[in-house]
Amino acid sequence: MGSGKVYSYLDHLECGRCNARFAADVVQGLCTVCGSPLLARYDLDRVGANCSPSEFVGRSPDLWRYHELLPVRSPDSKVSFGEGMTPLIPMPGTGSVMGLGRLFMKDEGLLPGGTFKARGAAVGVSRAKELGIKRIAMPTNGNAGAAWAAYAARAGIEALIVMPTDAPSVTRAECALTGAQLFLVDGLISDAGKMVAEAVSARGYSDASTLKEPYRLEGKKTMGLEIFEQLGWRVPDVILYPTGGGVGLIGIYKALLECQQLGWVGDKLPRLVSVQASGCAPIVRAWEDRASESTMWEDASTVAFGITVPKALGDFLILDAIYKTDGCAIAVDDDDLLDAQGVVARNDGAFICPEGAACFAAARSLRASGWLSESDEVLIINTGTGIKYPDTVSVSPPVLQVGDTIPVG
Amino acid sequence: MGSGKVYSYLDHLECGRCNARFAADVVQGLCTVCGSPLLARYDLDRVGANCSPSEFVGRSPDLWRYHELLPVRSPDSKVSFGEGMTPLIPMPGTGSVMGLGRLFMKDEGLLPGGTFKARGAAVGVSRAKELGIKRIAMPTNGNAGAAWAAYAARAGIEALIVMPTDAPSVTRAECALTGAQLFLVDGLISDAGKMVAEAVSARGYSDASTLKEPYRLEGKKTMGLEIFEQLGWRVPDVILYPTGGGVGLIGIYKALLECQQLGWVGDKLPRLVSVQASGCAPIVRAWEDRASESTMWEDASTVAFGITVPKALGDFLILDAIYKTDGCAIAVDDDDLLDAQGVVARNDGAFICPEGAACFAAARSLRASGWLSESDEVLIINTGTGIKYPDTVSVSPPVLQVGDTIPVG
């Protein structure tokens, strides 16, 4: 390769655990040495020589503005609904209630399909298309499957999706309407994962499960890049992230390391907080034990269905990010997160998803315990819009007949 | 005022029918002379002298980038969730099926609350806050009420919302969670409107009904501004818009006239198409009669609930925009629009709302009739995300038990 500008500076893939090296331009799954996820590595020297943050300013407000640090080689391979550059908004009302003077929310509900899953699907499907993949399969808690089904339809790729019967019902409609083959399983995502693994090995699907291909993570990484750009290329004090598979947190940390190596942000580390539900908190348990991996959580259950992941493949990467940034992991009860959902709606007007609400509940607890101070700049990732979870709100407004007078003072 | 730069160049309000002039910096409703909607007028000479499209490039990717042409005087008055700059995406799959070589969709589903109603609410509530309004009331087909409730909560303004029992059920949750006073009415939006009018006159609410205050329209206008900017400050051949109250179409036309007067776009007019459902098509009937106003549509009913508006207050403005741009009005059947929703999802991966789907069905009809040609650049406004309308998709995927083999080849 010469020294000129190219669209992507992807160089190779590297095992996140044993550091084995793999070629990037053929289809790869997990590390063939140790079975761990592969991470995309870029030629950061050339990125630094050919690109600087000031260049992003004039580009389209979507995640592709960071194409040098994304794995898609050609803009022609992009499968896009215009996703990215979600707003980072102040939450002064909620902050005031919770004693947090600098509380912000990155609202991932403003992505195609209403969740942050669009990021991973956009980059993952684009790269799959570029590498010639024709059929993908994946287990999902609903939203990832819906996102991958949509992008796959746009790319002309077949999608096989398996989700628990308890997944948000609208995600069924999303998968079905876009033409995916959809199956429900009377179990958890881990059960769906085993069934997909069988289909992959026996019937020639490409496995798009969380971290079993290297590129979903690169899409999620753009959350971090956007946060840094939106803050003027610096980091906040704390980032709270609702953790199921944890790809977003791993991605934000990966973005941080790449940007630090490029000299685009300073040396300061944001404390990364992994938020889980009390009914499924394997990362929290591992963090409390100072362990480097988690163990399977039995009988997992929470209203924050998206983070019902009993054992994440990337658990060691999540925990590493928490330890390295002096962060923490915390679990919140369902009652507490549903209450926080209402606090956020009434005080700042935002209808957020239960997973995002878990982070607000966690922030409240961490402030009460003193782990967060009033002056900390705290950034919460709301991973989806509340409108995908109408059942979290119970409402029975009065019904009037035509001609009635509205009974208010 | 001096000649320096100011945030907004709002100058006065003008009746859209009789051209009577009103002061802008006090609360105004309808024209006190003839009862028609008031339109915001700007000092376009000063806008032209102090501002040009190249300046927008470095601004945040939200609708406030056009603040010179918006009515909010101070950035401190902004009530914002970061709304705007929704993507304009190619729809090659659907275009190919429909024989349209240059088909594009502006996806308003990527706004807070998942619909284009966020635009009007953002600007309307911001201006209401700036003018000191404490309580608003409005009738709605669901999404506008949900949007205004959210922005009102963020602004600390009380909201009274009345919607038909048939409105999308998730919009009830949106209103209730953000703390609005919500009532359902066993009737249509026109029935809700009469009840709200009574509450307004008897109990001191400010009327936020469609076009009964001048600023919602200004928010909707930004759809037009964004389209022109996204196309490099030019217009497409045709824009299709699903028409209930018609504020978006009126707004796009208003943006066009303002930009033409500023010299920011050429003289070319995009043909504006008003799309309605066969079950509620007062604008189409009026257009077919070459009338300047519509008459009340009896027994209105369609699955595209957002456009179930039997008589729009701004009907004369909608019809004027259609006539002046050599556009048309067209009605589509529910079966046809639901079919189009599937065509779009399967061929381009997007899960759009029934109202947006009506536009795709209309485009298909207009292509078949020859009104649209294969080479026309056609832009469809998808006013909301399909995820707010799960019931438009019927899906019953197979349920597997843990350990089952997925029954695919």
Side-chain angles (χ1 to χ4, degrees):
Chain A
M1 290 193 282
S3 62
K5 293 192 181 209
V6 294
Y7 192 71
S8 165
Y9 289 93
L10 177 66
D11 191 77
H12 64 280
L13 302 175
E14 181 183 44
C15 176
R17 191 188 298 267
C18 77
N19 302 115
R21 187 181 171 114
F22 296 87
D25 288 310
V26 292
V27 176
Q28 304 278 10
L30 294 171
C31 173
T32 53
V33 179
C34 75
S36 298
L38 300 183
L39 308 179
R41 297 300 183 200
Y42 299 82
D43 185 338
L44 293 180
D45 290 341
R46 287 181 66 212
V47 173
N50 287 288
C51 176
S52 74
S54 62
E55 233 167 297
F56 301 136
V57 176
R59 295 184 183 173
S60 282
D62 58 49
L63 60 81
W64 300 101
R65 70 204 271 111
Y66 308 114
H67 58 76
E68 287 91 346
L69 290 172
L70 292 174
V72 177
R73 297 272 185 214
S74 163
D76 296 337
S77 303
K78 279 193 334 192
V79 182
S80 176
F81 292 102
E83 55 287 322
M85 281 311 272
T86 57
L88 185 61
I89 63 175
M91 301 296 275
T94 307
S96 174
V97 168
M98 296 186 176
L100 292 163
R102 298 158 73 205
L103 182 62
F104 296 83
M105 174 172 86
K106 186 157 177 72
D107 192 359
E108 297 282 291
L110 274 65
L111 286 165
T115 79
F116 76 136
K117 299 292 186 182
R119 294 184 189 274
V123 175
V125 170
S126 294
R127 187 67 176 146
K129 178 184 165 192
E130 190 163 69
L131 293 175
I133 289 171
K134 305 292 183 203
R135 309 168 84 194
I136 58 164
M138 64 189 298
T140 174
N141 273 341
N143 285 316
W148 283 71
Y151 283 89
R154 195 163 174 85
I157 292 174
E158 279 180 51
L160 169 65
I161 310 288
V162 186
M163 66 172 68
T165 50
D166 286 344
S169 62
V170 68
T171 61
R172 298 180 192 178
E174 294 176 83
C175 292
L177 196 68
T178 50
Q181 281 200 83
L182 173 65
F183 295 92
L184 306 184
V185 58
D186 190 11
L188 294 178
I189 189 173
S190 42
D191 302 306
K194 287 171 199 153
M195 298 160 87
V196 165
E198 192 274 338
V200 165
S201 66
R203 280 166 291 176
Y205 284 88
S206 190
D207 197 337
S209 305
T210 305
L211 293 174
K212 288 192 180 174
E213 61 73 49
Y215 302 114
R216 181 199 296 216
L217 173 59
E218 297 305 292
K220 294 287 184 71
K221 184 179 79 178
T222 61
M223 276 193 284
L225 298 173
E226 291 181 15
I227 289 168
F228 308 151
E229 179 174 2
Q230 288 171 319
L231 293 177
W233 297 99
R234 61 172 186 83
V235 304
D237 294 318
V238 178
I239 299 175
L240 288 91
Y241 175 81
T243 308
V247 183
L249 191 132
I250 299 167
I252 290 169
Y253 185 59
K254 187 170 188 286
L256 178 72
L257 296 183
E258 290 174 0
C259 287
Q260 287 192 331
Q261 197 175 331
L262 284 160
W264 291 358
V265 293
D267 291 334
K268 176 179 167 178
L269 297 168
R271 287 178 280 157
L272 299 179
V273 178
S274 177
V275 177
Q276 300 200 300
S278 305
C280 182
I283 298 296
V284 177
R285 186 170 59 192
W287 178 77
E288 287 171 348
D289 294 341
R290 294 299 181 269
S292 61
E293 291 181 32
S294 66
T295 51
M296 177 75 76
W297 190 273
E298 302 297 330
D299 300 320
S301 174
T302 165
V303 66
F305 195 76
I307 52 176
T308 315
V309 179
K311 166 85 168 108
L313 186 60
D315 54 1
F316 66 104
L317 296 169
I318 301 167
L319 288 158
D320 183 57
I322 298 171
Y323 296 134
K324 292 274 175 59
T325 63
D326 205 17
C328 72
I330 179 172
V332 297
D333 293 341
D334 280 3
D335 285 351
D336 200 25
L337 72 89
L338 289 173
D339 176 76
Q341 189 188 37
V343 169
V344 168
R346 287 190 302 277
N347 291 284
D348 286 306
F351 183 20
I352 63 175
C353 66
E355 296 81 10
C359 290
F360 283 93
R364 183 165 56 185
S365 292
L366 292 171
R367 178 72 189 96
S369 73
W371 196 90
L372 288 176
S373 72
E374 197 275 342
S375 63
D376 278 332
E377 185 177 48
V378 176
L379 194 157
I380 283 173
I381 310 284
N382 175 48
T383 46
T385 174
I387 59 180
K388 298 194 85 168
Y389 305 83
D391 298 341
T392 58
V393 182
S394 118
V395 49
S396 44
V399 179
L400 308 176
Q401 298 305 311
V402 173
D404 282 357
T405 297
I406 301 170
V408 291
Chain B
M1 289 193 283
S3 62
K5 293 192 180 205
V6 293
Y7 192 72
S8 165
Y9 289 93
L10 178 66
D11 191 76
H12 64 280
L13 302 175
E14 181 182 45
C15 176
R17 192 187 300 265
C18 77
N19 301 115
R21 188 180 169 114
F22 297 86
D25 288 311
V26 291
V27 176
Q28 303 278 11
L30 293 171
C31 173
T32 53
V33 179
C34 76
S36 299
L38 301 183
L39 308 179
R41 297 300 183 201
Y42 298 82
D43 186 340
L44 293 180
D45 289 341
R46 287 180 67 212
V47 173
N50 287 288
C51 176
S52 73
S54 61
E55 235 167 295
F56 300 138
V57 176
R59 295 183 183 174
S60 282
D62 58 51
L63 61 80
W64 301 100
R65 68 202 275 113
Y66 308 113
H67 57 76
E68 287 91 346
L69 290 173
L70 291 174
V72 177
R73 298 272 185 213
S74 163
D76 297 336
S77 303
K78 280 192 335 192
V79 182
S80 175
F81 293 102
E83 55 287 324
M85 280 311 271
T86 57
L88 186 60
I89 62 175
M91 301 296 275
T94 307
S96 174
V97 168
M98 294 185 176
L100 292 163
R102 297 158 73 206
L103 182 62
F104 296 83
M105 175 172 86
K106 187 158 177 70
D107 192 359
E108 296 283 289
L110 274 64
L111 286 165
T115 80
F116 76 136
K117 299 291 186 183
R119 294 184 187 274
V123 175
V125 170
S126 295
R127 186 67 176 147
K129 178 185 168 193
E130 190 162 69
L131 294 174
I133 289 171
K134 305 292 183 202
R135 308 168 84 196
I136 58 163
M138 64 189 298
T140 174
N141 272 342
N143 284 316
W148 283 71
Y151 284 88
R154 195 163 174 85
I157 291 174
E158 279 181 51
L160 170 65
I161 310 289
V162 187
M163 65 172 68
T165 50
D166 287 342
S169 61
V170 67
T171 62
R172 298 181 192 179
E174 293 177 84
C175 292
L177 196 69
T178 51
Q181 281 200 83
L182 172 64
F183 296 92
L184 305 184
V185 58
D186 190 12
L188 294 178
I189 189 173
S190 43
D191 302 306
K194 287 172 198 152
M195 298 160 88
V196 165
E198 192 273 339
V200 165
S201 67
R203 281 166 289 176
Y205 284 88
S206 190
D207 196 337
S209 305
T210 306
L211 293 174
K212 288 193 179 174
E213 61 73 51
Y215 302 115
R216 180 199 297 217
L217 173 59
E218 297 304 292
K220 295 285 184 74
K221 185 178 78 178
T222 60
M223 275 193 285
L225 298 173
E226 291 181 14
I227 290 169
F228 308 150
E229 180 175 1
Q230 288 170 318
L231 294 177
W233 297 99
R234 61 173 186 82
V235 304
D237 293 317
V238 178
I239 299 175
L240 288 92
Y241 175 82
T243 308
V247 183
L249 190 132
I250 298 168
I252 290 169
Y253 185 59
K254 187 169 189 287
L256 179 72
L257 296 183
E258 290 174 0
C259 287
Q260 287 191 332
Q261 196 175 330
L262 284 161
W264 291 357
V265 293
D267 292 335
K268 176 179 168 178
L269 297 169
R271 288 178 280 158
L272 298 179
V273 178
S274 178
V275 177
Q276 299 200 298
S278 305
C280 183
I283 299 296
V284 176
R285 186 169 61 191
W287 178 77
E288 287 171 348
D289 294 343
R290 294 298 181 271
S292 61
E293 291 181 33
S294 67
T295 51
M296 177 75 76
W297 189 274
E298 302 296 331
D299 300 320
S301 174
T302 165
V303 67
F305 194 76
I307 52 175
T308 316
V309 178
K311 165 86 169 105
L313 186 60
D315 55 359
F316 67 103
L317 296 169
I318 300 167
L319 288 158
D320 183 56
I322 297 171
Y323 295 134
K324 292 274 176 58
T325 62
D326 204 18
C328 71
I330 178 171
V332 297
D333 293 340
D334 281 3
D335 286 351
D336 201 25
L337 72 89
L338 289 174
D339 176 75
Q341 189 188 36
V343 169
V344 169
R346 287 190 301 277
N347 291 284
D348 286 305
F351 183 20
I352 63 175
C353 67
E355 296 81 10
C359 291
F360 282 94
R364 183 166 55 186
S365 291
L366 292 170
R367 178 70 189 98
S369 72
W371 196 89
L372 288 176
S373 71
E374 197 275 343
S375 63
D376 278 332
E377 185 177 45
V378 177
L379 193 157
I380 284 174
I381 310 283
N382 175 48
T383 46
T385 173
I387 60 180
K388 298 194 86 167
Y389 305 83
D391 298 341
T392 57
V393 182
S394 117
V395 49
S396 43
V399 179
L400 308 176
Q401 298 306 311
V402 173
D404 282 357
T405 296
I406 301 171
V408 291

